[in-house]
Amino acid sequence: MNGSIELVAPPDRVVVVNTSYTVGGLPAHPMLVHAVVVLVPLAALAVVLHATWPAARARLGMVTPVLAVVATAFIPPTTAAGESLAAKVGGTARNPLLARHEQLGEQLLPWALGLSVVAIALWVWFRFDPLADRPTMHRAVSITLRMAALALAVGVVVMVIRVGDAGARATWSGIG
């Protein structure tokens, strides 16, 4: 079973997990990349708006943390599909541009996880306002959350751009 792993379940059944990462015979990585490229920057924008603009925060509500978590959830299957595709085209050992793309791609998940954590923290913070009776602490935590939100939003968008640029270079170098 090429591209599959057999897992032994109860004695009377065998579970087959597809690891080929294809959709309709086409590599899944280029399709999944589009979800990451759209959703991660959109989540970053929502986090910045949530952190800095009360009217947007009221309208966005729970959309911000949900969007950040969904965007982050697309990264592992996109990375796995990319590794599968890289193996099919000869691996990263023969192509330093592809190796760079893969290296940068692996660095995106920590940034997105951080963004998701801050998105959830912002929503909880502004929804429940746990330190409303302690103004000095409240201000310090609010500023810290906002600074973390801005830093992570910028960082994750920069990483998406860097990963995408490296992927485009790996794909299109030598063409044209």
Side-chain angles (χ1 to χ4, degrees):
M1 281 186 245
N2 193 10
S4 299
I5 298 174
E6 285 188 32
L7 302 174
V8 178
D12 59 333
R13 292 182 22 188
V14 173
V15 178
V16 177
V17 178
N18 183 359
T19 59
S20 64
Y21 297 101
T22 59
V23 177
L26 297 172
H29 182 70
M31 292 175 256
L32 289 170
V33 160
H34 288 87
V36 172
V37 167
V38 170
L39 294 177
V40 171
L42 193 59
L45 176 61
V47 167
V48 168
L49 291 174
H50 203 100
T52 60
W53 190 10
R57 181 182 316 127
R59 286 204 177 266
L60 286 168
M62 189 144 196
V63 169
T64 302
V66 170
L67 179 60
V69 168
V70 168
T72 300
F74 269 98
I75 295 171
T78 303
T79 303
E83 290 169 353
S84 173
L85 179 59
K88 286 181 182 176
V89 298
T92 57
R94 291 185 12 203
N95 187 339
L97 294 174
L98 187 58
R100 179 70 176 149
H101 174 61
E102 188 174 300
Q103 177 191 29
L104 288 170
E106 290 171 356
Q107 294 174 22
L108 181 58
L109 184 59
W111 283 96
L113 285 170
L115 188 74
S116 292
V117 168
V118 166
I120 293 166
L122 282 168
W123 181 78
V124 168
W125 180 255
F126 288 111
R127 172 107 172 129
F128 299 107
D129 202 5
L131 295 175
D133 58 334
R134 298 174 64 192
T136 304
M137 257 323 245
H138 175 82
R139 182 171 167 79
V141 173
S142 289
I143 290 170
T144 302
L145 277 174
R146 288 177 173 143
M147 296 300 286
L150 293 173
L152 286 164
V154 168
V156 78
V157 170
V158 167
M159 281 307 302
V160 167
I161 292 167
R162 291 181 70 206
V163 173
D165 178 66
R169 289 179 191 278
T171 302
W172 301 107
S173 68
I175 297 177

